[in-house]
Amino acid sequence: VFVMPWYEGVPLDEILTAQGLEQYAPHMDEIVLQCAKQLWRLHEKRSNGKKMIHGDIASSQFIVNLKGNQVTVQLVDLGNAILIPEGQNSIQACKRGTPNFAAPEIVKNGEFSQSSDCYAFGCILESFPQIPSSRAFAELADQLMHDNPLKRPSMKEVVERLEHMIRLHAKSNEQEAEICSKFNNLSI
């Protein structure tokens, strides 16, 4: 018997609708970063030397809980998780993943890897409002959805790049607020 814990919250796919965006908009940068960190943590886990992949990444697999200004995200549905034997980077399986999130190599020959999880995460990024920096964010999503699995960034790289984008976004917001404050204090 496989038992999974219950996580309170809302699936990410529901948040990314017009109604969900309004309530969660101020927290989108934190939500996307926590989603990336959850997948990165899964990829970093090892079981007897084997790499772990989710195998069915989709926006519905992330549960977001907002309490006050505190956001937490949990990656769920590890029932499709796959262990890749030591020394291998991918494994063929009979599963197919979620339509619209499955990497080309899964669709063509059922080949799963951490890179195929990354592809699915790129599909999720495409559905986010363009935060924290639209151009860099869109480029990251495009790189994650590259047809060649070897050219996709790892989740560790994704987390590092998102953290950098969010820092730049926060800094530009601070600078904008400072300029507005100076402008408002001018006497005409």
Side-chain angles (χ1 to χ4, degrees):
V1 175
F2 183 71
V3 178
M4 291 189 60
W6 170 259
Y7 294 104
E8 187 177 334
V10 179
L12 180 60
D13 59 336
E14 291 180 24
I15 291 171
L16 296 174
T17 65
Q19 296 88 3
L21 282 178
E22 188 175 313
Q23 179 183 0
Y24 291 88
H27 308 282
M28 282 300 176
D29 56 348
E30 182 62 24
I31 291 170
V32 72
L33 180 59
Q34 283 196 37
C35 288
K37 285 182 174 181
Q38 286 288 315
L39 185 52
W40 176 39
R41 285 184 192 113
L42 178 73
H43 284 183
E44 292 296 307
K45 287 185 180 181
R46 295 282 191 269
S47 179
N48 296 324
K50 296 178 181 181
K51 294 178 186 176
M52 184 176 266
I53 59 174
H54 189 278
D56 192 22
I57 292 294
S59 51
S60 60
Q61 306 293 16
F62 292 95
I63 304 297
V64 180
N65 189 352
L66 177 62
K67 287 189 177 176
N69 278 335
Q70 188 70 21
V71 176
T72 56
V73 176
Q74 185 63 48
L75 176 59
V76 297
D77 196 10
L78 298 176
N80 286 318
I82 302 169
L83 296 175
I84 298 175
E86 193 171 357
Q88 288 182 236
N89 289 323
S90 65
I91 192 167
Q92 287 194 319
C94 296
K95 330 177 199 203
R96 289 290 174 208
T98 299
N100 300 327
F101 294 91
E105 62 273 16
I106 293 173
V107 174
K108 289 178 188 168
N109 57 15
E111 187 176 329
F112 288 81
S113 66
Q114 289 183 344
S115 185
S116 60
D117 278 354
C118 293
Y119 180 95
F121 191 76
C123 295
I124 293 171
L125 288 186
E126 272 204 328
S127 63
F128 263 85
Q130 294 296 304
I131 51 102
S133 165
S134 60
R135 185 177 194 166
F137 196 76
E139 287 173 4
L140 178 58
D142 288 345
Q143 290 169 356
L144 283 163
M145 295 188 307
H146 198 286
D147 284 342
N148 183 343
L150 300 175
K151 294 192 176 189
R152 296 178 197 141
S154 69
M155 286 311 298
K156 179 181 180 185
E157 293 172 73
V158 170
V159 167
E160 290 168 353
R161 288 173 63 184
L162 285 171
E163 287 175 334
H164 179 73
M165 283 186 248
I166 290 168
R167 276 193 306 275
L168 289 177
H169 185 246
K171 189 175 181 179
S172 80
N173 284 347
E174 289 171 13
Q175 290 171 342
E176 186 177 310
E178 185 179 323
I179 290 168
C180 288
S181 175
K182 286 179 182 178
F183 181 78
N184 290 334
N185 291 331
L186 289 175
S187 50
I188 299 177

